[in-house]
């Protein structure tokens, strides 16, 4: 079962890479969708470049939001930041009820069209799961090892670095994983405000009634999301193994 | 009365319960004891058909249990399990009222019965009826489980490791409660346990199970004096079997039969009539008294017991 | 563990760090950021005006006083009630100030000028709202109190809007232009979000039950639904247009029922598909968490399988199922906005029209009600879930 799953994932990765590099090979596959003779493969830009731009924007936002969210998560779980914990938790819950399009649309008046509003929306949206999981992970660290660490004379920052963060790391990574997958999809909406990415392909398809374009953009994005999800999962398992957490 | 005839359960090629037959008398407590995997729980669950037998049959008061729908059969039989299985979203009163509601009792009758049972099990209805299970201690939850099993006045109650999760003191109390319930309602009870002490304390009869078979079905004393199988000896224990035997005899039955006519000379200890000979011996050794007065609930002396008389009893059996 | 400083235990000598932080942000917003933006028409970039320039002192001073009061209460106040009331007062004062500035800056009868709330105004509103939420949370309101609070807030806001208090603000100007369509699009938004939710619940509950009963079905079903979730929404909307158009062309009955390639049908189908995973997964999880001892006891007492499902399993799994429905409802309200791209209507129509015309006020006219709708749904369902949990605790 596991071997079949691995083979399937490898096949998906190979198919995605081939499609992005030499999309014309797949023309016959998509041709039946456009009987009217419209181009079966997206021809208004380089698919690989779009995919890389898409990935780049998602990764940039993910790194930024992970750094900020983990820092905030650490701050509100310290004694000094405890006053901010309840409100920040409520804010995160509240933030998750914001529709992604609304975040995107509200960012446009601040920074104009292009990559920037998309980046802001992805950043803001990515904060939420990472922050939530960081707080949950740090709160879930059992009292005994912390007590032992204090008993051994570790300072607060040593405890954080060598006990709390390693124990909370799987949860934090799970948050990053979730936020990346959501953002791969949300980034396609960014193309409505003129950000570069695979959303362009879908929008072009919607505008010219070309189902082949819509399908290509959708499948490529979906595959990227699934593969990123799996990749971060592998990373997570490796981290769990080295820190010996089941 | 429960008649079990050549009851068998097989899963694939494995026989879990193998042609078990015995009869449980009306109003008695039978304890099925065995190691884990001996098939004792499966045997119990075949009585209320939570497990359908592969072969054989069970009759309760002469009626074949296979002849009626399983869920209707189960409404006539009380059932208590380890960890109590209370419904967490229902109050104590609602939990106890489950089967009476299924049977369509009217609300007044249900209310009366719930109050009666909670009082019997020392849970003041005013305090506990509207509580939720998680607001109770483990011992209280267990008592609610027993009350729920007794709610529809079943003639038969089945208990699967009912006291397994309780600490020793609460467990002893729960065992007393069960004896009281049997005395009051004349309920026929089948208890499954892996605890030999529990079997000796509760059982009118004990069925010892191993690998799906009943090795011996007998009075507790007979398990000690005439074990039918080396496994029975091993399970009941060799080192303290003489003391175990003493623990099965009550002070009153020996004292009235064999006491000297004159009160013995010197300080005498006083013991209750329902104390076991083992307890009386322990009391005599500890206090250094030559004899103990056996008294009834009102404090009247029924007879006398000496160390010598008790030892004679132990040797005679 | 962490010592949480509560309103009661804090002394006057030690200022509240949260109150201090929000006060600092508010002060910067008031002093350094534009309070309103004045635009000659709905599209051109505007001229930022700060608080002093936007309002005459006879209006500015009372507003500042109320803000100062709520700031003082936030920094040094002991009572959560005091802080809640003053924060709500600050919120109302800032909103009223924005409305007053718009009223003052617009010449009578002029419908072309636009006065939009500026970054400073939004930030002040956010600070006041955060203070209010924080104070309200310290009062630990029960589910009923929270719903009541929501109703009061919505009622007060609705009253202010219907009285025309904000009519001179740019968003309401935009509303006035689109008023004839607004109610219909909002209704369409609700229809799409709730209609697809209802269909999803009807389908996903039995599916979740099956996943629980047949463990071999569970993993493949959840993986499949997981994959559906990763398809970007605009792509799924687009992909569904083709088969539905074909269905409409081939089956006259389908066309009669209003199933078309463009419009509501692909939107509802896509929203339905996105809704399945959270409900199916939560239903299966909720059922799985029901104590096996309770089910065993129920069976032992003679409950039928149907009685066990209705009386024990479903009630015990209900909070988990509702949590799934909450996720779906909020997700649907957000995704419905995107459905406007394929002509399904809804509040997203305004968002995308606004993006197309670079008219930010029109974007806000679509986005803000969507956010309010999602937040209100979240509060309502949270309260419902908590009231069920409480009845058992």
């Amino acid at each position: 079962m596991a071997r079949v799953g691995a083979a399937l994932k490898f096949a998906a990765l190979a198919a995605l890479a081939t499609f992005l590099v030499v999309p014309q090979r797949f023309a016959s596959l998509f041709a039946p969708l456009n009987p009217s003779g419209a181009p079966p493969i997206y021809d208004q830009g380089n698919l690989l470049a779009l995919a890389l731009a898409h990935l780049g924007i998602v990764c940039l936002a993910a790194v930024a939001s992970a750094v900020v969210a983990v820092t905030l998560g650490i701050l509100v779980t310290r004694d000094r930041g405890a006053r901010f914990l309840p409100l920040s938790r409520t804010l995160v819950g509240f933030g998750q009820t914001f529709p992604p399009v609304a975040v995107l649309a509200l960012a446009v008046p601040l920074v104009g069209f292009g990559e920037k509003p998309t980046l802001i929306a992805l950043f803001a949206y990515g904060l939420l799961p990472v922050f939530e999981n960081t707080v949950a992970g740090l709160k879930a660290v059992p009292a005994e090892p912390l007590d032992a660490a204090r008993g051994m004379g570790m300072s607060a920052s040593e405890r954080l670095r060598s006990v709390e963060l390693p124990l909370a790391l799987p949860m934090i990574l799970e948050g990053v994983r979730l936020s990346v997958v959501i953002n791969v999809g949300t980034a396609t909406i960014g193309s409505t405000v003129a950000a570069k990415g695979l959303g362009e392909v879908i929008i072009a398809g919607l505008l010219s009634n070309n189902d082949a374009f819509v399908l290509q953009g959708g499948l490529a994005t979906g595959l990227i999301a699934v593969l990123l999800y799996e990749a971060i999962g592998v990373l997570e398992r490796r981290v769990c193994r080295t820190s010996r957490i089941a | 009365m429960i008649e079990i005839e050549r009851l068998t359960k097989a899963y694939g090629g494995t026989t879990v319960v193998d042609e078990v037959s015995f009869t449980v008398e009306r109003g008695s407590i039978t304890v099925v004891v065995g190691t884990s995997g001996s098939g004792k729980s499966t045997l119990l669950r075949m009585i209320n058909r939570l497990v359908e037998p592969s072969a054989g049959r069970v009759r309760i008061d002469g009626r074949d249990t296979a002849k009626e729908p399983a869920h209707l059969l189960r409404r006539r039989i009380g059932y208590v399990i380890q960890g109590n299985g209370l419904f967490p979203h229902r109050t104590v009163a609602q939990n106890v009222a489950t089967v009476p509601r299924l049977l369509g009792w009217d609300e007044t009758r249900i209310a009366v019965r719930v109050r009666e049972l909670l009082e019997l099990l020392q849970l003041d209805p005013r305090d506990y009826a509207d509580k939720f299970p998680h607001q109770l201690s483990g011992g209280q939850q267990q008592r609610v489980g027993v009350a729920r099993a007794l709610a529809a006045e079943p003639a038969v109650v089945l208990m699967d490791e009912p006291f397994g999760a309780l600490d020793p003191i609460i467990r002893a109390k729960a065992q007393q409660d069960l004896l009281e319930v049997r005395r009051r309602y004349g309920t026929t009870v089948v208890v499954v346990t892996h605890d030999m002490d529990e079997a000796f304390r509760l059982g009118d009869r004990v069925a010892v199970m191993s690998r799906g078979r009943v090795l011996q079905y007998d009075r507790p004393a007979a398990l000690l004096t005439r074990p039918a199988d080396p496994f029975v000896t091993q399970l009941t224990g060799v080192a303290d079997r003489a003391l175990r035997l003493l623990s099965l005899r009550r002070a009153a039955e020996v004292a009235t039969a064999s006491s000297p006519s004159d009160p013995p000379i010197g300080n005498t200890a006083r013991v209750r009539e329902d104390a076991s000979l083992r307890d009386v011996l322990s009391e005599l050794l500890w206090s250094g008294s030559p004899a103990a007065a056996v008294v009834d609930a009102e404090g009247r002396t029924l007879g006398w017991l000496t160390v010598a008389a008790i030892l004679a009893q132990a040797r005679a059996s | 563990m962490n010592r949480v400083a509560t309103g009661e235990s804090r002394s006057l000598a030690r200022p509240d760090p949260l109150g201090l932080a929000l006060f600092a942000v508010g002060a910067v917003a008031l002093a350094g950021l534009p309070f309103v933006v004045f635009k000659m028409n709905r599209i051109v970039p505007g001229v930022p005006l700060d608080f002093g320039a936007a309002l005459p002192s006879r209006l500015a001073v009372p507003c500042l006083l109320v803000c100062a009061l709520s700031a003082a209460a936030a920094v040094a106040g002991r009572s959560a009630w005091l802080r809640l009331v003053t924060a709500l007062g600050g919120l109302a004062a800032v909103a009223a100030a924005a409305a007053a500035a718009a009223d003052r800056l617009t010449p009578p009868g002029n419908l072309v000028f636009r006065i939009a709330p500026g970054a400073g105004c939004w930030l002040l509103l956010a600070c006041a709202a955060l203070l209010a939420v924080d104070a309200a949370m310290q009062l630990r309101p029960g589910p009923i109190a929270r719903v009541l609070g929501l109703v009061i807030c919505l009622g007060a806001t609705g009253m202010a809007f219907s009285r025309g208090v904000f009519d001179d603000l740019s968003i309401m100007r935009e509303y006035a232009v689109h008023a004839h369509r607004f109610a219909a699009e909002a209704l369409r938004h609700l229809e799409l979000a709730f209609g697809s939710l209802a269909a999803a619940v009807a389908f996903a509950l039995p599916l979740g039950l099956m996943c629980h009963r047949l463990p071999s079905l569970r993993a493949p079903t959840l993986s499949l639904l997981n994959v559906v979730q990763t398809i970007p929404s605009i792509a799924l909307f687009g992909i569904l247009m083709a088969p539905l158009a074909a269905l409409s062309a081939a089956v006259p009955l389908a066309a009669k029922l209003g199933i078309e390639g463009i419009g509501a049908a692909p939107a509802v189908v896509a929203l339905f598909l996105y809704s399945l995973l959270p409900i199916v997964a939560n239903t299966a999880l909720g059922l799985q968490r029901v104590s096996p001892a309770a089910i065993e006891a129920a069976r032992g007492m003679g409950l039928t399988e149907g009685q066990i499902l209705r009386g024990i399993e479903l009630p015990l799994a209900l909070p988990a199922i509702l949590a799934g429905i909450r996720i779906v409802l909020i997700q649907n309200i957000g995704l419905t906005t995107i459905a406007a791209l394929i002509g399904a209507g809804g509040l997203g129509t305004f968002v995308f029209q606004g993006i197309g015309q670079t008219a930010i006020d029109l974007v806000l006219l679509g986005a803000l009600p969507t956010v309010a709708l999602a937040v209100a749904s979240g509060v309502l369902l949270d309260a419902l879930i908590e009231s069920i949990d409480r009845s058992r605790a």
Side-chain angles (χ1 to χ4, degrees):
Chain A
M1 198 60 199
R3 192 169 292 177
V4 175
L8 215 61
K9 281 164 211 160
F10 186 74
L13 180 61
L16 178 67
T18 321
F19 176 71
L20 292 177
V21 177
V22 279
Q24 291 305 332
R25 289 268 177 88
F26 292 77
S28 57
L29 213 59
F30 288 102
L33 286 170
N34 285 331
S36 55
I41 297 292
Y42 186 68
D43 54 359
Q44 299 163 25
N46 184 331
L47 277 173
L48 186 61
L50 287 179
L52 289 177
H54 197 106
L55 262 181
I57 219 168
V58 167
C59 289
L60 191 61
V63 169
S65 56
V67 168
V68 173
V70 171
T71 312
L72 287 177
I74 290 172
L75 285 180
V76 298
T77 49
R78 304 302 100 189
D79 276 0
R80 277 194 192 164
R83 175 72 182 86
F84 294 84
L85 180 60
L87 183 64
S88 54
R89 273 195 160 165
T90 312
L91 259 186
V92 166
F94 183 75
Q96 272 160 343
T97 61
F98 268 58
V101 200
V103 180
L104 198 65
L106 296 180
V108 171
L110 295 175
V111 293
F113 287 86
E115 263 82 37
K116 280 186 202 156
T118 312
L119 210 51
I120 288 179
L122 296 189
F123 167 76
Y125 227 64
L127 283 177
L128 308 176
V130 184
F131 176 81
E132 206 168 21
N133 278 29
T134 305
V135 170
L138 288 172
K139 284 268 170 196
V141 172
E144 295 86 2
L146 276 180
D147 238 26
R150 192 171 303 153
M152 284 184 282
M154 285 189 188
S155 70
S157 64
E158 283 165 343
R159 284 202 300 275
L160 176 66
R161 260 181 292 129
S162 50
V163 182
E164 292 180 78
L165 279 181
L167 285 174
L169 196 56
M171 279 285 277
I172 297 176
L173 280 178
E174 186 59 34
V176 173
R177 188 182 186 189
L178 206 62
S179 92
V180 166
V181 170
I182 296 174
N183 279 353
V184 171
T186 311
T188 55
I189 308 172
S191 300
T192 58
V193 293
K196 272 217 159 318
L198 289 169
E200 263 185 53
V201 184
I202 301 169
I203 303 267
L206 287 177
L207 291 178
S208 62
N209 250 333
N210 188 329
D211 291 329
F213 288 6
V214 175
L215 198 59
Q216 282 156 32
L219 284 181
T221 330
L223 273 177
I224 289 177
V226 172
L227 289 171
L228 272 179
Y229 184 79
E230 293 299 331
I232 302 176
V234 169
L235 182 72
E236 224 176 288
R237 278 193 288 282
R238 187 153 297 171
V239 166
C240 292
R241 203 160 39 221
T242 53
S243 60
R244 294 187 193 286
I245 305 160
Chain B
M1 191 167 73
I2 308 171
E3 295 160 276
I4 296 169
E5 281 175 34
R6 302 170 69 89
L7 204 55
T8 301
K9 182 67 193 179
Y11 292 105
T14 336
T15 306
V16 188
V17 173
D18 193 2
E19 297 209 355
V20 166
S21 302
F22 60 82
T23 301
V24 178
E25 294 301 329
R26 179 192 291 266
S28 72
I29 297 182
T30 289
V31 181
V32 182
V33 68
T35 51
S36 58
S38 60
K40 56 188 193 300
S41 275
T42 309
L43 173 65
L44 188 81
R45 289 154 62 86
M46 281 195 283
I47 298 176
N48 66 0
R49 287 176 57 202
L50 279 172
V51 172
E52 289 292 343
S54 308
R57 67 177 166 179
V58 177
R59 275 185 300 210
I60 294 179
D61 295 332
R63 278 159 73 185
D64 189 338
T65 55
K67 294 259 159 66
E68 69 180 310
H71 65 279
L72 295 182
L73 168 74
R74 291 178 200 141
R75 291 174 191 180
R76 298 195 288 118
I77 303 177
Y79 186 51
V80 181
I81 57 175
Q82 180 171 11
N84 69 60
L86 295 180
F87 303 143
H89 59 311
R90 296 191 180 166
T91 63
V92 166
Q94 286 168 341
N95 262 288
V96 174
T98 306
V99 181
R101 287 240 157 80
L102 289 176
L103 295 174
W105 289 17
D106 65 64
E107 287 300 317
T108 349
R109 188 176 166 204
I110 293 176
V112 170
R113 180 66 178 165
V114 167
R115 192 177 323 138
E116 177 192 339
L117 282 168
L118 290 182
E119 275 163 3
L120 173 72
L121 292 160
Q122 292 116 51
L123 294 162
D124 189 335
R126 278 168 304 181
D127 294 339
Y128 290 100
D130 295 327
K131 285 220 158 92
F132 284 90
H134 70 98
Q135 295 169 303
L136 307 180
S137 70
Q140 289 168 338
Q141 289 178 3
Q142 199 276 338
R143 276 182 268 161
V144 175
V146 172
R148 186 173 70 170
L150 294 168
E153 300 167 356
V156 172
V157 171
L158 308 178
M159 305 178 116
D160 193 351
E161 303 266 4
F163 312 125
L166 304 178
D167 68 54
I169 293 173
I170 296 173
R171 179 189 303 207
K173 173 79 181 68
Q175 288 165 345
Q176 281 301 320
D177 286 346
L178 177 60
L179 293 172
E180 171 64 18
V181 163
R182 192 265 306 259
R183 193 190 62 76
R184 182 142 162 188
Y185 297 119
T187 316
T188 310
V189 183
V190 182
V191 184
V192 158
T193 182
H194 62 267
D195 178 355
M196 208 54 187
D197 287 323
E198 189 161 275
F200 277 89
R201 181 178 302 211
L202 293 176
D204 296 313
R205 284 177 176 268
V206 175
V208 178
M209 278 193 81
S210 176
R211 295 185 197 167
R213 306 192 72 102
V214 168
L215 302 177
Q216 188 167 8
Y217 177 60
D218 222 326
R219 300 190 171 281
L223 295 183
L224 291 165
T225 54
R226 296 185 301 277
D229 188 284
F231 182 77
V232 176
T233 318
Q234 194 191 334
L235 207 63
T236 52
V238 179
D240 61 347
R241 60 184 156 187
L243 290 175
R244 270 226 157 107
L245 213 45
L246 285 180
S247 71
L248 291 171
R249 308 281 307 264
R250 296 198 313 147
E253 42 185 291
V254 182
T256 46
S258 65
S259 66
S261 50
D262 298 321
I265 301 150
N267 293 332
T268 52
R270 286 162 65 87
V271 294
R272 291 283 298 268
E273 57 178 328
D274 55 357
S276 72
L277 286 186
R278 181 179 182 160
D279 295 339
V280 180
L281 181 62
S282 176
E283 176 62 29
L284 288 173
L285 293 176
W286 183 252
S287 65
S289 309
V294 179
V295 298
D296 65 12
E298 276 81 46
R300 287 178 304 221
T301 304
L302 301 173
W304 304 88
L305 277 175
T306 60
V307 173
I310 294 173
L311 294 185
Q313 283 293 326
R315 285 191 200 100
S317 49
Chain C
M1 288 301 288
N2 293 320
R3 278 166 288 120
V4 178
T6 61
E8 279 65 39
S9 67
R10 256 184 304 114
S11 67
L12 265 177
R14 198 167 140 236
D16 179 30
L18 180 69
L20 216 51
L22 288 176
F23 168 66
V25 174
V28 168
L30 199 58
L33 291 171
F35 189 68
V36 290
V37 178
F38 177 87
K39 294 187 285 191
M40 295 300 286
N41 63 48
R42 65 195 285 255
I43 292 166
V44 297
V47 182
L49 296 174
D50 64 17
F51 191 75
L55 282 171
S57 54
R58 73 185 159 80
L59 291 175
V61 171
C63 173
L64 281 177
L65 275 179
V66 177
C67 288
L69 200 65
S70 57
V75 173
R78 285 167 168 234
S79 146
W81 272 113
L82 176 70
R83 280 182 292 137
L84 176 61
V85 171
T86 53
L88 289 176
L91 197 63
V94 174
D103 182 44
R104 197 181 76 94
L105 293 168
T106 316
N110 185 319
L111 292 176
V112 183
F113 285 6
R114 291 295 165 103
I115 291 91
C121 178
W122 289 119
L123 215 50
L124 275 174
L125 288 173
C127 286
L130 285 177
L131 283 176
V133 168
D134 180 63
M137 269 179 5
Q138 279 183 1
L139 294 170
R140 296 187 185 285
I144 296 172
R146 288 210 303 269
V147 172
L148 217 63
L150 177 72
V151 169
I152 291 172
C153 287
L154 289 180
T157 319
M159 188 108 89
F161 276 111
S162 67
R163 288 272 177 94
V165 174
F166 300 112
D167 277 0
D168 288 323
L169 275 174
S170 55
I171 303 167
M172 290 310 287
R173 276 291 158 80
E174 207 64 60
Y175 170 77
V177 174
H178 297 277
H180 59 288
R181 277 168 50 217
F182 187 82
E185 296 292 8
L187 192 66
R188 169 47 80 83
H189 202 99
L190 289 176
E191 280 170 6
L192 289 173
F194 282 87
S196 54
L197 173 71
V201 169
F203 185 77
L205 275 186
L207 189 57
L209 182 63
M210 268 164 64
C211 286
H212 174 65
R213 292 275 197 265
L214 306 169
S216 59
L217 196 67
R218 184 178 174 142
T221 308
L222 291 185
S223 315
L224 183 70
L225 294 180
N226 234 324
V227 170
V228 171
Q229 289 269 327
T230 64
I231 302 174
S233 46
I234 50 174
L236 190 56
F237 284 132
I239 291 167
L240 285 168
M241 287 165 73
L244 286 173
L247 182 70
S248 170
V251 184
L253 178 67
K256 222 179 203 172
L257 288 172
I259 295 176
E260 290 174 296
I262 202 155
V268 169
V269 175
L271 292 173
F272 168 82
L273 290 175
Y274 282 128
S275 305
L276 293 180
L277 179 70
I279 305 182
V280 171
N282 274 36
T283 304
L285 187 71
L287 289 171
Q288 189 193 329
R289 278 193 193 150
V290 174
S291 136
I295 294 172
E296 159 92 4
R299 198 166 287 143
M301 282 191 292
L303 275 75
T304 61
E305 291 304 311
Q307 285 168 334
I308 293 175
L309 181 65
R310 284 191 306 275
I312 312 294
E313 294 184 284
L314 283 182
L316 284 174
L318 190 60
I321 296 172
L322 283 176
I325 290 177
R326 178 194 188 277
I327 296 172
V328 165
L329 183 55
I330 286 167
Q331 178 181 290
N332 273 3
I333 290 173
L335 286 175
T336 303
T337 322
I338 299 169
L341 269 184
I342 55 162
L347 292 166
T349 315
F350 301 124
V351 174
F352 287 113
Q353 276 182 8
I355 290 176
Q357 303 168 4
T358 66
I360 297 312
D361 298 326
L362 189 52
V363 171
L364 288 173
L365 181 65
L368 290 182
T370 316
V371 171
L373 208 56
V375 170
S377 309
V379 171
L380 280 178
L381 272 172
D382 276 342
L384 183 62
I385 294 168
E386 200 186 312
S387 68
I388 292 173
D389 280 343
R390 276 195 176 199
S391 73
R392 288 166 196 173

